Amino acid sequence: MEQTKELVKTITEAIQEKKGSNIVIADLSKTEGTICRYFVICTGNSPAQVEAITESIGDMARERLKEKPAHVVGLENAQWVAMDYSDVLVHIFLPDVREYYDLEHLWEDAPLDRIPDLD
């Protein structure tokens, strides 16, 4: 579990490094029937920024923790990229796509940690 929390922290730092915004961490560890322990959701303002955030997460997780995602999908359009780290699923959205899918409310019974944007 400690490795998972360290992965969430590293992913958050990687998002912030590329100026990703509106980071929300959903703790699903006590929610029955979930496919992972954490959702990390963030916003990039353009397809290029979504790609940069995805690359930053992949690089930082690999360098610090020797972790690689099992799957990465959505880079073709870079409107919604999902990265699967088994216990952690990362979702990087363009603003309008994030608003449309509203993943935070899928898990509204789970504790949500909203990370303040860096200036």
Side-chain angles (χ1 to χ4, degrees):
M1 187 67 165
E2 196 57 42
Q3 177 78 1
T4 302
K5 288 182 179 179
E6 191 61 32
L7 179 58
V8 169
K9 182 176 180 263
T10 299
I11 288 167
T12 301
E13 289 177 26
I15 293 167
Q16 290 174 326
E17 181 178 270
K18 296 300 179 184
K19 307 284 191 248
S21 61
N22 197 11
I23 302 169
V24 175
I25 300 166
D27 181 349
L28 307 175
S29 60
K30 292 181 176 68
T31 305
E32 288 193 33
T34 61
I35 57 174
C36 64
R37 290 186 177 163
Y38 293 93
F39 263 26
V40 179
I41 305 164
C42 74
T43 302
N45 290 316
S46 68
Q49 187 181 22
V50 168
E51 286 181 34
I53 293 168
T54 304
E55 187 175 318
S56 179
I57 292 168
D59 290 348
M60 202 175 281
R62 186 178 62 255
E63 290 165 10
R64 289 187 184 177
L65 306 172
K66 309 290 187 250
E67 292 272 359
K68 292 183 181 177
H71 301 285
V72 177
V73 295
L75 277 172
E76 314 78 46
N77 299 330
Q79 295 181 17
W80 174 7
V81 174
M83 303 177 79
D84 179 357
Y85 282 95
S86 296
D87 283 342
V88 181
L89 288 179
V90 184
H91 300 275
I92 309 152
F93 288 100
L94 289 178
D96 57 332
V97 179
R98 181 173 180 172
E99 186 177 323
Y100 179 80
Y101 286 101
D102 197 16
L103 288 187
E104 290 93 332
H105 288 96
L106 280 179
W107 303 107
E108 61 189 14
D109 56 336
L112 298 179
D113 187 10
R114 298 180 189 278
I115 309 298
D117 292 344
L118 297 179
D119 290 330

